[in-house]
């Protein structure tokens, strides 16, 4: 299954490789910037220009949780491999670690001086990685919310970072 999100405010799942649309989700009020399957495959998370992060249940075909707390558009979202936490990266210069079970923000990651463009978890660890328009990439301890390392060297906005 392929998952996509677009400027049309919709997410879609597509059969692979034939390309038939399986499901479409609507509920965001602005463009979708990120989408990610829960590791179990039964749910997904989306991020949007409407400042929200939403959790969707595929069997119910709808949004089951809206996470609010960013003050500007949310550029990216990522699901932790344990399936209990979601991370979000925002134009407001922060990232957030959300506890899906308690439906709350566990930590707000502060330290970037401009928009945070991407976030992802190192699989099977408590380490998160962010990239920012401030030209830096940061490593964070998602258990404490503290930044543990800053990578510097880009001369323009860093739009994405990933682990191997």
């Amino acid at each position: 299954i392929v998952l996509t999100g677009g400027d049309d405010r919709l997410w879609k799942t597509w059969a692979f490789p034939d390309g038939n649309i399986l499901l479409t989700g609507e509920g965001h009020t602005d463009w979708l910037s990120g989408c990610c399957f829960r590791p179990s495959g039964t749910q997904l998370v989306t991020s949007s220009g409407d400042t929200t992060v939403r959790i969707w249940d595929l069997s119910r075909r709808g949004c089951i949780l809206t996470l609010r707390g960013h003050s500007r558009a949310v550029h990216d979202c990522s699901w932790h491999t344990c399936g209990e936490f979601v991370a979000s990266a925002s134009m407001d210069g922060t990232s957030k670690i959300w506890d899906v079970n308690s439906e709350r923000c566990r930590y707000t990651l502060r330290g970037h001086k401009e928009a945070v463009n991407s976030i992802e978890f190192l699989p099977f660890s408590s380490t998160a990685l962010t990239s920012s328009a401030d030209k830096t990439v940061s490593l964070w301890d998602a258990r404490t919310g503290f930044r543990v390392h800053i990578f510097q060297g880009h001369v323009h906005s860093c739009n994405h970072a990933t682990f191997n």
Side-chain angles (χ1 to χ4, degrees):
I1 296 176
V2 172
L3 173 62
T4 61
D7 282 350
D8 58 3
R9 306 174 185 175
L10 303 174
W11 59 262
K12 293 181 182 287
T13 58
W14 311 73
F16 178 80
D18 63 20
N20 292 325
I21 295 173
L22 302 172
L23 292 172
T24 299
E26 59 182 87
H28 281 290
T29 59
D30 210 337
W31 43 268
L32 268 69
S33 53
C35 51
C36 182
F37 280 108
R38 187 175 189 160
S40 65
T42 60
Q43 295 177 339
L44 56 96
V45 61
T46 56
S47 54
S48 171
D50 67 12
T51 75
T52 67
V53 176
R54 292 181 183 242
I55 308 292
W56 307 81
D57 187 292
L58 297 175
S59 64
R60 294 187 203 169
R61 297 180 180 227
C63 178
I64 58 169
L65 178 61
T66 301
L67 301 169
R68 291 179 170 83
H70 286 292
S71 61
R72 297 192 60 201
V74 184
H75 276 170
D76 196 21
C77 57
S78 178
W79 215 300
H80 189 274
T81 46
C82 74
E84 306 301 317
F85 302 99
V86 163
S88 58
S90 173
M91 284 182 67
D92 66 13
T94 70
S95 294
K96 293 184 180 289
I97 306 295
W98 303 91
D99 183 325
V100 176
N101 293 324
S102 69
E103 302 180 0
R104 294 185 208 202
C105 175
R106 180 172 258 187
Y107 296 108
T108 298
L109 310 180
R110 300 178 195 283
H112 285 294
K113 294 181 176 117
E114 295 185 38
V116 184
N117 296 323
S118 71
I119 190 163
E120 73 174 50
F121 289 104
L122 177 65
F124 306 104
S125 83
S126 62
T127 301
L129 180 69
T130 56
S131 68
S132 173
D134 69 9
K135 306 173 195 150
T136 67
V137 174
S138 293
L139 282 176
W140 305 83
D141 184 335
R143 294 170 302 182
T144 63
F146 292 118
R147 183 160 48 180
V148 295
H149 192 75
I150 301 170
F151 299 92
Q152 297 175 323
H154 282 277
V155 294
H156 296 287
S157 176
C158 187
N159 297 323
H160 192 79
T162 190
F163 295 104
N164 72 353

